[in-house]
């Protein structure tokens, strides 16, 4: 009620939370830009016939998917700089943690998508004289994108909410300001406003992926 009875106080809160988007949105986009292609590379490494490549990749995926993301953020920000003897920027640490974590999840999604494509399509590509690289980019990759679209969209929705975890290393994102305001005033309104912002972001994500799914309808089967 404190915010509802004081418009200036509410406006100040909204400005703070919007300033927090300067951390939330870049973290979101950087994670997608780097983790998606990295996920494809990791998936191919996981499927490699050479055990010296596939086994370590499998172990890394297991560790990244089997431990909490917040623990990985702590490890990269607090432990890795001590091992390397060089401090890490908070934002850079968060981006690295998010990218490698989500790349592991995307890798398993992409691996499943590649394995679901009939082997006959690879053989048809060879019969047409395509190289392995051409087969991957011209035949497999477009189908992989379509087959992986739905599970990838689920991970992206989770990513929007996971960005709030960066408060653990004192990054001033949107959730940081909402939590700070709640602690200072005892009002839950800032947290509900933060929830509304996350809901709005995920609504945009849903719309974007729904349109992408409709555009990719010609890749059925």
């Amino acid at each position: 009620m404190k915010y509802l009875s004081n418009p200036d106080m509410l406006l100040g809160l909204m400005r703070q939370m919007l300033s927090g988007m300067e951390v939330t949105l870049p973290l979101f986009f950087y994670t997608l830009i780097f983790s998606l292609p990295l996920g494809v590379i990791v998936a191919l490494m996981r499927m490699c016939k050479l055990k010296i490549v596939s086994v370590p990749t499998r172990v890394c995926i297991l560790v990244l998917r089997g431990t909490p993301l917040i623990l990985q953020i702590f490890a990269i920000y607090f432990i890795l700089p001590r091992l390397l003897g060089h401090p890490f920027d908070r934002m850079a640490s968060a981006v690295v943690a998010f990218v490698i974590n989500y790349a592991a999840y995307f890798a398993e999604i992409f691996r499943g998508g590649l394995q679901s494509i009939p082997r006959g399509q690879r053989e048809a590509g060879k019969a047409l004289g395509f190289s392995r690289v051409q087969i991957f980019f011209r035949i497999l990759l477009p189908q992989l994108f379509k087959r992986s679209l739905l599970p990838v969209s689920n991970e992206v929705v989770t990513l929007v909410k996971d960005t709030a975890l960066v408060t653990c290393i004192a990054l001033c994102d949107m959730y940081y300001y909402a939590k700070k305001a709640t602690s200072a005033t005892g009002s839950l309104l800032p947290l509900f406003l933060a929830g509304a912002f996350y809901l709005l972001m995920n609504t945009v994500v849903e719309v974007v992926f729904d349109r992408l799914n409709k555009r990719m309808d010609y890749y059925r089967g």
Side-chain angles (χ1 to χ4, degrees):
M1 296 299 294
K2 293 181 180 180
Y3 288 99
L4 297 179
S5 60
N6 191 334
D8 291 335
M9 192 176 178
L10 179 60
L11 184 60
L13 172 64
M14 295 292 290
R15 286 174 177 170
Q16 279 190 325
M17 293 179 65
L18 287 175
S19 69
M21 295 292 283
E22 295 178 4
V23 170
T24 300
L25 289 179
L27 176 61
F28 172 79
F29 286 113
Y30 284 144
T31 301
L32 283 186
I33 291 170
F34 293 111
S35 65
L36 285 170
L38 180 59
V40 174
I41 295 171
V42 174
L44 295 175
M45 292 173 64
R46 173 69 177 82
M47 297 172 66
C48 182
K49 294 181 180 180
L50 297 174
K51 289 188 177 181
I52 195 173
V53 175
S54 62
V55 173
T57 304
R58 182 176 181 178
V59 172
C60 288
I61 291 174
L62 177 63
V63 172
L64 291 170
R65 296 178 72 209
T67 57
L69 174 55
I70 192 170
L71 181 61
Q72 295 167 28
I73 297 172
F74 276 129
I76 291 175
Y77 183 66
F78 291 108
I79 299 176
L80 196 58
R82 293 184 179 182
L83 297 176
L84 299 178
H86 188 277
F88 277 17
D89 176 75
R90 285 187 174 89
M91 187 62 177
S93 299
V95 170
V96 171
F98 272 74
V99 167
I100 62 174
N101 179 271
Y102 273 86
Y105 282 94
F106 289 143
E108 288 299 273
I109 292 173
F110 295 148
R111 184 170 70 92
L114 285 170
Q115 291 179 338
S116 69
I117 299 174
R119 189 169 184 81
Q121 297 196 25
R122 295 176 176 84
E123 296 173 354
K126 291 180 181 178
L128 291 172
F130 289 168
S131 66
R132 288 186 176 182
V133 174
Q134 289 175 320
I135 291 172
F136 179 76
F137 283 102
R138 295 188 180 184
I139 299 175
L140 302 182
L141 191 60
Q143 295 182 71
L144 172 63
F145 183 69
K146 168 61 180 175
R147 291 167 187 262
S148 303
L149 204 56
L150 181 58
V152 165
S153 70
N154 292 334
E155 290 299 325
V156 175
V157 167
T158 302
L159 171 60
V160 171
K161 296 176 288 185
D162 277 352
T163 55
L165 293 175
V166 296
T167 57
C168 70
I169 54 174
L171 264 176
C172 300
D173 72 327
M174 180 175 59
Y175 179 71
Y176 172 87
Y177 287 113
K179 186 173 66 172
K180 183 180 178 181
T182 294
S183 299
T185 63
S187 173
L188 293 176
L189 181 61
L191 293 179
F192 283 108
L193 283 176
F197 275 113
Y198 288 119
L199 178 60
L200 178 61
M201 289 174 63
N202 271 329
T203 300
V204 174
V205 168
E206 290 284 350
V207 170
V208 169
F209 275 93
D210 183 60
R211 291 187 177 181
L212 285 174
N213 190 52
K214 289 178 180 178
R215 285 179 178 270
M216 298 295 291
D217 275 347
Y218 54 84
Y219 278 120
R220 290 177 180 175

